[in-house]
Amino acid sequence: GVPFVDCQYMVNDTAIAIQVPYETDDQAITSTTVATAQKSGWIWDIGLYNRRGTGYVYSSAHCGNDEAEIILRKYLASTATTLEVEKLESRKINIRSGHRRVFWQNNCVAVGMAAGFIEPLEASALAMIEMSANMIADEIPAIKTAMHICAKKYNQRFQYRWDRIIDFLKLHYVISKRTDSDYWQDVTDNKNTPESLQELLELWRFRPPYYNDLIQNQEVFPSASYQFVLYGMGFDTSSDYRSAFEDVDAGVAHKLFEDVRLTSHKLVSTLPSNREYLRLVHERVKI
């Protein structure tokens, strides 16, 4: 009976998921999740031990279910040369984007998916579960009369965290330069962006994200996470800021980057493939 707060800023409300078997027993398994933007959403592609997990997350206001499935199967056909992708079973998933208004009420605490869900673009659920468990363990009172105080602190902290998750997810959309569909025009419109994120983006036009921009000591997504997305998507943090570093020897920086690249290459060359690594893990833990 606890009220639910729908997220007005995220338009994706449906997903079509398809489990894709590997074409051969020794097919390479990717060690990263691949997210590919589409006309009305994005496709996830995750290399698991015994299959690929794929799906199309989209807005039903911009794309019909049949069209979404066609798009996903077309993507799969382009990435699997020998599979009959039209015969793979699909599953439709409805997404209600939002979270509970109150997380801790009386002697009950909503944790994980019971607390809320926005969309699967960033894996925030596990981090939120861990943060919830830690705070409950730290804050659970020794006497019943203090319960409401602990609950108030918990609710304030997690309301803040859900707001920041929404900001970070919305960041991926609002700074996109795509305008090729009604969907992308809608999700990049500032009118559909939280004011808190709008303020940060205005600030970051003059300097990079800084740890003081986010006020808690345990952020789900710290300032570095914002930097990765901003720079990866070509967001300009102003030439005026960069001019402050004109006297820095660029050669030193290039040397450091090259050292990192060479060290990384050397270390990676000693590692097993991702498939071999997962096989060893699978054998030892008996999944």
Side-chain angles (χ1 to χ4, degrees):
V2 177
F4 190 87
V5 182
D6 290 299
C7 179
Q8 60 180 309
Y9 302 110
M10 307 301 293
V11 301
N12 293 342
D13 59 2
T14 316
I16 298 290
I18 295 179
Q19 297 183 4
V20 183
Y22 287 116
E23 297 178 79
T24 62
D25 291 340
D26 60 350
Q27 182 177 337
I29 299 177
T30 58
S31 58
T32 56
T33 295
V34 178
T36 307
Q38 301 293 326
K39 181 180 177 181
S40 300
W42 60 278
I43 288 175
W44 79 75
D45 193 337
I46 306 174
L48 303 174
Y49 175 68
N50 56 357
R51 61 177 172 82
R52 288 165 56 200
T54 71
Y56 184 15
V57 185
Y58 61 96
S59 163
S60 62
H62 299 85
C63 179
N65 297 330
D66 292 342
E67 180 186 359
E69 186 162 341
I70 290 172
I71 290 171
L72 177 57
R73 291 187 186 277
K74 183 178 180 180
Y75 166 86
L76 295 178
S78 71
T79 61
T81 58
T82 62
L83 290 177
E84 296 182 279
V85 297
E86 68 278 1
K87 294 183 178 180
L88 297 176
E89 184 178 350
S90 67
R91 181 165 62 98
K92 178 185 173 186
I93 304 170
N94 295 320
I95 299 172
R96 185 179 180 185
S97 181
H99 58 79
R100 292 181 182 272
R101 188 176 302 278
V102 177
F103 309 102
W104 185 328
Q105 182 165 318
N106 300 326
N107 65 342
C108 294
V109 188
V111 175
M113 296 290 284
F117 182 79
I118 306 300
E119 71 154 80
L121 183 58
E122 291 285 353
S124 57
L126 290 177
M128 289 288 274
I129 291 171
E130 182 177 356
M131 289 177 169
S132 297
N134 288 338
M135 189 166 182
I136 292 168
D138 291 341
E139 296 290 339
I140 196 163
I143 54 174
K144 184 178 179 180
T145 54
M147 183 79 76
H148 71 286
I149 301 172
C150 299
K152 180 180 179 180
K153 290 170 60 182
Y154 183 95
N155 289 328
Q156 290 173 337
R157 179 67 61 90
F158 279 85
Q159 176 63 59
Y160 172 87
R161 285 174 172 162
W162 279 101
D163 287 343
R164 298 294 74 74
I165 287 174
I166 293 169
D167 280 355
F168 189 64
L169 290 175
K170 185 65 182 181
L171 175 70
H172 294 67
Y173 295 94
V174 73
I175 63 173
S176 172
K177 296 179 176 62
R178 288 189 66 157
T179 58
D180 58 328
S181 66
D182 290 342
Y183 172 88
W184 285 103
Q185 292 174 28
D186 286 344
V187 297
T188 56
D189 193 327
N190 261 349
K191 293 185 297 184
N192 300 320
T193 303
E195 183 178 351
S196 53
L197 179 58
Q198 291 185 48
E199 290 177 348
L200 287 173
L201 287 172
E202 182 63 27
L203 181 65
W204 294 336
R205 294 187 191 282
F206 300 95
R207 64 161 176 80
Y210 185 56
Y211 70 88
N212 282 338
D213 297 336
L214 303 162
I215 62 175
Q216 289 197 4
N217 61 356
Q218 288 183 318
E219 292 284 347
V220 180
F221 299 106
S223 58
S225 297
Y226 286 83
Q227 290 180 7
F228 295 145
V229 176
L230 290 171
Y231 297 145
M233 295 182 67
F235 186 86
D236 186 6
T237 54
S238 172
S239 58
D240 291 339
Y241 179 85
R242 290 193 296 271
S243 65
F245 297 91
E246 288 179 351
D247 294 334
V248 175
D249 186 349
V252 174
H254 287 303
K255 176 63 168 57
L256 292 173
F257 281 121
E258 180 63 12
D259 289 345
V260 170
R261 187 188 69 80
L262 292 174
T263 301
S264 299
H265 179 74
K266 180 180 179 181
L267 294 175
V268 169
S269 67
T270 67
L271 297 174
S273 68
N274 197 42
R275 172 172 285 282
E276 178 63 14
Y277 171 73
L278 291 177
R279 184 188 67 78
L280 293 172
V281 171
H282 187 271
E283 289 179 354
R284 294 191 178 188
V285 300
K286 304 297 182 183
I287 296 176

